[in-house]
Amino acid sequence: MWLGAFAGFYRPGAEEVRNLDAASKFLYSARSVILVISAQAAIIAALLALGARRFDPLAFVLVLAGFVSAHMISNLSNDYFGYKRGHDTPDSPRMRYTVHPLASGVLDSRTLLAGLAVVSVIGLSIMAFFIVERGWTAAAFAARASRCCSSTMRRRCR
């Protein structure tokens, strides 16, 4: 079931998503099928590191998990704030391409925020590891990446 969340099960109806187990609902709500974009970025970085003979398996796994968790944070935050601010209306692009977790009742606000908190702790823990291991350059990279995500959200949420 969870593999289906990553392999793609777009566009089921809201009732079909409501009948999934809790983890699959959360993966679906985080739009896991498009998280492959972030995974590809980590894989490209790994291939470049391999070519330069600087590949570190632990760093790769953490970068992969960090990129994917950051993408999940962005997707979940976007849905939460877009819906709460009234921007995710029935005719908005977000509502047309897949079931919205809040508008459809797949998740309630509390569950979405709890999942968002868990994913955020994972992401922050990975960032803390890299700050300790690699220095404040890692924090600058994370700040730049989060600035890009938040500017995208600000444009969408106006």
Side-chain angles (χ1 to χ4, degrees), residues 2 5 8 12 14-15 50 52 57 78 91 94 97 116 119 126 139 146 148 151 154 157:
W2 296 356
E15 192 59 38
L50 273 170
N78 196 354
D91 61 332
R94 169 61 187 96
Y97 74 84
L116 183 58
V119 176
I126 292 168
S146 100
C148 290
S151 68
R154 273 195 307 273
C157 294

Side-chain angles (χ1 to χ4, degrees), residues 61-123:
V61 169
L62 291 175
V63 165
L64 176 65
F67 281 8
V68 170
S69 65
H71 197 160
M72 289 176 85
I73 291 165
S74 176
N75 289 346
L76 292 167
S77 298
N78 196 354
D79 283 347
Y80 178 79
F81 290 108
Y83 182 73
K84 290 297 181 183
R85 292 177 181 158
H87 299 286
D88 287 341
T89 60
D91 61 332
S92 68
R94 169 61 187 96
M95 300 290 268
R96 284 183 287 195
Y97 74 84
T98 187
V99 175
H100 191 287
L102 294 175
S104 67
V106 168
L107 296 179
D108 59 32
S109 293
R110 186 176 178 180
T111 303
L112 188 142
L113 289 172
L116 183 58
V118 169
V119 176
S120 296
V121 167
I122 292 167

Side-chain angles (χ1 to χ4, degrees), residues 4 6 10 20 25 29 38 62 70 75 93 100 102 129 138 142 144 146:
F6 289 101
Y10 281 47
L20 297 172
K25 281 183 197 178
S29 296
S38 296
L62 291 175
N75 289 346
H100 191 287
L102 294 175
F129 172 83
R144 175 69 177 144
S146 100

